[in-house]
Amino acid sequence: MAEAESSKDVNTNPGDEWTCSHCTLTNASSEVKCIVCYNNRLVVGEKENIQYTPEENLLPKFQNNVLVTFFQDARSKASKFFIDPIASSHVPNLFVSKDCNLLDLACNNNEKKEDFYETQVKNDRILEIEKNNFVKNDVGKNMYSKQTSKLSENLRLNQEEIALEKWKEIVNFCKETQINFIDDSFPPANKSLTYTGAPFSKVSKWLRPKQISTMSGKKTAWQVFRSPRPSDIIQGTIGNCWFLSALAVVCEKPELLEKIMITREICEEGVYQVRICKNGKWVIVLVDDLLPCDRNGKLVYSQADRNQLWVPLIEKAVAKSVGCYEALIAGRCIEGLQLITGSPCESIVLRNKPGDAPEDAVDKDLVWARLLSCRNAGYLMGASCGGDISDAHLMASYKQVGLEAQHAYSVLDVQQVETNRLIRLRNPWGRGSWTGAWSDYSPLWTDTLRNLLRAHGSDEGVFWISLEDMIKYFDCVDVCKYQREWTEVMLEGTFASPTNHGQVCHITVFAPTEIDITLFQESNRGSQTESLASLDLWIGVFRATSGTAEPKPIKYIAHSDRKLKPSVLCNVFLDVGEYLIVPAAFNHWNSGVTYTKPLNYVLSIHSSKAVLTDHIPMTRYSYSDALFLMVEKLGRKHQGIEGVTCYYMSHKLAGLIVAAENRRPDVHLLVDCDCNKSFNVVSTRGSLVTSDCVPPLRRQILNVLTQLEGTDGYSVCHQLKFRISQANAFGGDGSHQDPLLKNGLAEIHNPREL
């Protein structure tokens, strides 16, 4: 009754909008409560409700020119449209007209730029872009400091709607000119096949579907989809099992698979759009249907049985996004799942590697609990089988039990029957099945259990295996946490470095919410010389100070593992309140490597309920304060002097963090830290041996060690000597460091007040 009386006085003139006094979100006039924080709308007369009009002229806009590329013949200067290299030998003499950009991402044939475009997401319900939230970054690109997470499905539909309009423009132009589309930014040429542009011996020509010789030899009409199933996928001549295995896992849910292909029907003009999530950002990749074929006119790379185009077209889009087909060689299933679903993904490690720390030992019971939880949540899962094996004898031992090393399987089910822990797997090849315990013909099956769990799928590559054997032969289970009803927001930023304080995400939670936070770095896939990941990634979540323009971390909540990987994930349940998400990397601070470009990241936040995010400059010393809060909460302790504690932490950190705290008001703390016995690590201090003086009532991060190469083992070791002194032992009071804190290292290692 009170709510009805309150809403009666609300001004609801048609077309008006109102700004929430609590979270600053702009709501439609029809809303009585804020749709994010549920705060009541201000009644007329209580307080002025200032309305803002979005700065439409500042929003990024698509260009009006047709999203196609024109060619000009260098000899005649006459404009031509998409000259087909199959019909003409003049392709090397053609260049892109400077007058025709492709969404500001025009690509000259002599340049290796990505020529896919991102769609501007429309908001169908909330106009969150307010005048007071608009900012401009240092390179002149438009950014908005405050964003509200939105339903992932709505984002996809909005992007698809815009993309389809552009697709229609291209198709109509092709129809008018009576010529098929050719993507000049990923041309039917050798440079699209290999890193160097050298020919690939198996590729003789590029053909369109109607020209391709089918596998069956029959003239079956091509379709984009024909009731797709995992067994349709056929690997080609390159080792991109990581990508195809992810496709097979996603194919377990065909409705999710079809969302990748925006163009779901055959296009006679050869224009197709594929939606992928590269480095955490949704992008629409435009491709033609010219596909690499051998001298017999058969597809060289991956394909789908029953004359379906979805496999080669998605593969081509991914190849385009990384530069060439050769760049698709080698990877993990989790990378493929992230790429084609955009959902949070994580790996459940099944067994330890040599050199792993004792505290990182795999807990079999915990692994089983996580597998059951993921199955109950309906997540997609893929299992990596012998991913690190290269020895021919070991690979042969896998074949003896019906498994394929360096291969990935789909996880179909997880069941505990009495004391038996069983996992059902599918070989995406549709053939080859496990022959050990609990295989189809194992004597362990009773008639009741066989009928209950349908233990009769070996002919299709489907089989059951015990958890014990799974751990013996498989490395990890990659989990894709796709949830249709969750919201999503994506933020782009730059890591803190000696010359840049970086950014943090200030997040406001209005109702208890489960959140998955994924931090991406720019992957090096597409580089022939660099490893896939350059930086060690870490996410920290902290309770933040409120009511200030410069929030600071005040309480540790959760953190991700720290890894030399393209991405890391942090899952946390947050109560109502304000928090800081700190994205971090450390191995670039004093590694001696010169980086020629900004160290950018993408922070992707998925949540069960809408949250408000604000991407802001990092407050000074946030790195130092955040690390100490974590180490103080979770680290091990060295004690021995009253009022003095030294901390160290290495669990799931791909290295080591050492810190010291001096709670004494009258003495200095002198600490010598020797990490010389560590192996394959880099130090933020630039030295494995440090000496520091921590003044009274101060705390300090002494050193941060990071695994140097992600493919090699590493070890960390430290020895501490600490004592107290009335003076700082260096002639006077105050702090002292050896080596000195140069190149911005004070942001991590300066002593901080308790």
Side-chain angles (χ1 to χ4, degrees):
M1 187 65 182
E3 181 178 337
E5 291 177 354
S6 175
S7 64
K8 181 175 61 177
D9 295 329
V10 174
N11 183 359
T12 57
N13 292 329
D16 285 351
E17 297 168 344
W18 58 278
T19 302
C20 177
S21 60
H22 184 206
C23 70
T24 75
L25 190 75
T26 302
N27 291 269
S29 61
S30 58
E31 300 291 347
V32 175
K33 293 178 178 289
C34 175
I35 65 171
V36 170
C37 70
Y38 309 111
N39 190 44
N40 285 329
R41 181 177 180 178
L42 291 174
V43 297
V44 176
E46 279 192 19
K47 187 178 180 181
E48 183 180 6
N49 190 5
I50 302 174
Q51 303 296 326
Y52 295 103
T53 302
E55 296 287 344
E56 296 291 344
N57 59 319
L58 295 176
L59 291 173
K61 287 184 172 63
F62 293 103
Q63 296 183 0
N64 294 325
N65 24 340
V66 179
L67 298 181
V68 291
T69 304
F70 287 81
F71 288 128
Q72 289 183 329
D73 192 305
R75 296 166 300 179
S76 66
K77 302 298 182 182
S79 296
K80 297 183 180 181
F81 178 74
F82 295 129
I83 296 180
D84 194 321
I86 295 176
S88 171
S89 60
H90 304 313
V91 172
N93 298 324
L94 302 177
F95 62 94
V96 180
S97 170
K98 294 182 180 178
D99 297 328
C100 186
N101 294 335
L102 178 59
L103 288 179
D104 290 327
L105 290 173
C107 177
N108 188 291
N109 277 340
N110 296 322
E111 300 173 339
K112 290 194 73 175
K113 292 183 180 178
E114 298 166 343
D115 199 15
F116 53 82
Y117 60 93
E118 300 171 41
T119 59
Q120 171 69 29
V121 179
K122 296 190 302 181
N123 188 358
D124 59 350
R125 193 177 182 195
I126 307 173
L127 286 174
E128 70 189 356
I129 309 304
E130 302 171 16
K131 181 183 293 185
N132 60 335
N133 290 338
F134 179 81
V135 297
K136 211 165 190 178
N137 67 7
D138 55 357
V139 294
K141 295 181 179 178
N142 292 338
M143 290 174 32
Y144 302 98
S145 60
K146 290 187 179 181
Q147 296 187 55
T148 306
S149 58
K150 311 171 193 68
L151 285 174
S152 298
E153 184 66 7
N154 288 350
L155 288 175
R156 182 189 69 82
L157 292 173
N158 288 331
Q159 288 180 324
E160 187 171 307
E161 179 184 349
I162 298 172
L164 284 174
E165 289 301 315
K166 304 306 173 183
W167 177 85
K168 290 176 183 177
E169 292 180 22
I170 301 174
V171 170
N172 290 337
F173 202 104
C174 289
K175 287 180 178 179
E176 292 173 5
T177 55
Q178 298 183 344
I179 194 163
N180 288 339
F181 172 66
I182 293 179
D183 178 14
D184 73 290
S185 63
F186 195 67
N190 291 332
K191 72 174 187 177
S192 299
L193 300 177
T194 61
Y195 286 114
T196 61
F200 181 48
S201 60
K202 296 184 183 297
V203 176
S204 299
K205 45 194 170 184
W206 296 69
L207 301 178
R208 297 192 186 271
K210 290 183 179 180
Q211 302 167 305
I212 296 172
S213 299
T214 62
M215 295 178 60
S216 63
K218 299 179 181 179
K219 293 185 178 181
T220 306
W222 287 87
Q223 297 291 333
V224 176
F225 292 109
R226 188 176 271 118
S227 301
R229 54 193 182 220
S231 58
D232 288 335
I233 301 171
I234 301 170
Q235 188 169 354
T237 57
I238 54 174
N240 62 347
C241 179
W242 63 273
F243 163 68
L244 297 178
S245 298
L247 268 185
V249 170
V250 173
C251 200
E252 301 293 345
K253 292 189 176 181
E255 73 280 3
L256 181 57
L257 177 68
E258 293 183 6
K259 295 175 182 178
I260 303 167
M261 288 295 305
I262 295 179
T263 314
R264 303 182 183 97
E265 302 291 340
I266 289 292
C267 175
E268 297 297 335
E269 293 71 28
V271 188
Y272 292 87
Q273 292 176 323
V274 181
R275 183 175 184 258
I276 61 174
C277 189
K278 186 186 179 191
N279 297 334
K281 293 173 60 178
W282 282 112
V283 293
I284 308 295
V285 187
L286 181 70
V287 295
D288 57 38
D289 62 356
L290 282 162
L291 300 171
C293 295
D294 61 20
R295 65 184 63 183
N296 297 317
K298 294 185 177 180
L299 289 171
V300 170
Y301 297 122
S302 304
Q303 53 191 292
D305 198 8
R306 300 180 293 138
N307 283 28
Q308 299 175 81
L309 283 176
W310 60 277
V311 172
L313 287 179
I314 296 174
E315 182 185 54
K316 183 172 185 177
V318 176
K320 176 180 177 178
S321 74
V322 296
C324 64
Y325 277 95
E326 188 181 4
L328 298 181
I329 296 175
R332 306 290 298 208
C333 181
I334 189 171
E335 182 188 357
L337 290 172
Q338 287 174 326
L339 183 71
I340 58 183
T341 71
S343 298
C345 296
E346 63 179 339
S347 291
I348 301 175
V349 177
L350 298 180
R351 56 181 178 176
N352 290 106
K353 297 178 181 179
D356 282 354
E359 58 265 28
D360 293 336
V362 171
D363 184 330
K364 186 170 66 174
D365 293 333
L366 180 58
V367 166
W368 181 249
R370 292 181 67 187
L371 289 175
L372 281 175
S373 176
C374 291
R375 188 262 291 166
N376 292 338
Y379 295 154
L380 296 168
M381 292 185 280
S384 173
C385 182
D388 299 324
I389 292 177
S390 57
D391 181 78
H393 178 72
L394 283 176
M395 294 183 74
S397 69
Y398 276 67
K399 284 187 176 292
Q400 289 175 359
V401 294
L403 298 175
E404 293 288 338
Q406 298 182 347
H407 191 47
Y409 292 73
S410 302
V411 178
L412 303 182
D413 200 1
V414 180
Q415 292 285 345
Q416 177 152 354
V417 181
E418 298 175 348
T419 59
N420 302 303
R421 296 172 170 179
L422 304 177
I423 301 100
R424 196 182 196 207
L425 303 179
R426 185 205 302 275
N427 186 341
W429 290 350
R431 63 186 187 278
S433 292
W434 163 250
T435 59
W438 297 102
S439 61
D440 276 14
Y441 303 105
S442 169
L444 295 173
W445 290 106
T446 64
D447 291 341
T448 301
L449 279 180
R450 184 180 295 276
N451 292 329
L452 178 65
L453 299 184
R454 296 175 296 157
H456 40 66
S458 60
D459 292 342
E460 292 80 36
V462 177
F463 58 89
W464 289 92
I465 188 172
S466 69
L467 177 63
E468 289 72 21
D469 284 325
M470 184 91 169
I471 291 174
K472 181 178 179 181
Y473 290 100
F474 288 77
D475 309 312
C476 64
V477 173
D478 295 323
V479 181
C480 174
K481 304 172 73 173
Y482 168 71
Q483 300 187 89
R484 180 185 174 91
E485 300 302 323
W486 276 38
T487 68
E488 175 183 350
V489 65
M490 182 273 293
L491 306 169
E492 297 180 71
T494 303
F495 286 110
S497 68
T499 58
N500 173 35
H501 290 321
Q503 292 133 331
V504 293
C505 174
H506 179 251
I507 182 170
T508 306
V509 177
F510 302 104
T513 305
E514 184 181 1
I515 296 183
D516 280 317
I517 309 159
T518 310
L519 177 63
F520 295 87
Q521 63 179 307
E522 293 184 2
S523 171
N524 293 327
R525 182 172 292 281
S527 170
Q528 196 173 7
T529 57
E530 298 180 86
S531 59
L532 198 60
S534 301
L535 303 175
D536 59 317
L537 302 183
W538 174 83
I539 305 167
V541 183
F542 303 86
R543 177 73 76 165
T545 54
S546 59
T548 174
E550 296 184 343
K552 298 179 180 180
I554 56 175
K555 180 182 179 182
Y556 165 83
I557 301 297
H559 76 282
S560 71
D561 294 352
R562 184 160 64 113
K563 296 180 180 179
L564 269 166
K565 298 289 184 182
S567 67
V568 293
L569 173 73
C570 180
N571 172 264
V572 62
F573 193 92
L574 298 180
D575 289 325
V576 175
E578 297 181 42
Y579 301 87
L580 281 183
I581 299 174
V582 181
F586 301 94
N587 63 349
H588 62 288
W589 281 84
N590 222 331
S591 63
V593 177
T594 300
Y595 292 90
T596 58
K597 58 182 181 180
L599 301 176
N600 297 325
Y601 66 78
V602 171
L603 196 67
S604 178
I605 302 173
H606 292 76
S607 56
S608 58
K609 295 181 182 178
V611 297
L612 182 67
T613 64
D614 197 357
H615 207 202
I616 59 176
M618 184 181 293
T619 304
R620 291 209 67 184
Y621 304 118
S622 288
Y623 258 17
S624 177
D625 293 345
L627 286 178
F628 196 92
L629 288 170
M630 179 182 71
V631 174
E632 181 184 40
K633 178 75 173 181
L634 303 177
R636 297 186 179 184
K637 300 177 182 179
H638 291 296
Q639 292 177 311
I641 301 176
E642 183 180 355
V644 169
T645 305
C646 292
Y647 302 89
Y648 66 99
M649 182 176 174
S650 62
H651 182 52
K652 296 186 180 300
L653 284 181
L656 176 72
I657 301 175
V658 186
E661 181 179 55
N662 180 10
R663 299 184 300 278
R664 299 277 293 268
D666 54 344
V667 296
H668 290 70
L669 171 63
L670 309 178
V671 187
D672 296 325
C673 180
D674 186 349
C675 300
N676 255 332
K677 293 184 180 180
S678 300
F679 166 74
N680 191 34
V681 295
V682 61
S683 163
T684 52
R685 295 286 295 272
S687 173
L688 295 178
V689 179
T690 59
S691 296
D692 294 275
C693 175
V694 184
L697 302 178
R698 296 290 193 278
R699 61 192 186 192
Q700 182 181 345
I701 301 296
L702 303 177
N703 212 340
V704 180
L705 305 184
T706 303
Q707 180 182 3
L708 187 58
E709 293 291 343
T711 56
D712 297 329
Y714 74 97
S715 64
V716 291
C717 178
H718 73 284
Q719 294 180 331
L720 287 179
K721 296 179 181 178
F722 50 101
R723 62 192 186 280
I724 57 176
S725 172
Q726 294 296 324
N728 69 4
F730 296 98
D733 294 325
S735 65
H736 183 89
Q737 295 84 31
D738 182 21
L740 296 177
L741 301 181
K742 298 180 179 180
N743 300 325
L745 289 177
E747 291 303 312
I748 299 179
H749 295 295
N750 248 9
R752 302 282 294 134
E753 293 183 1
L754 294 178

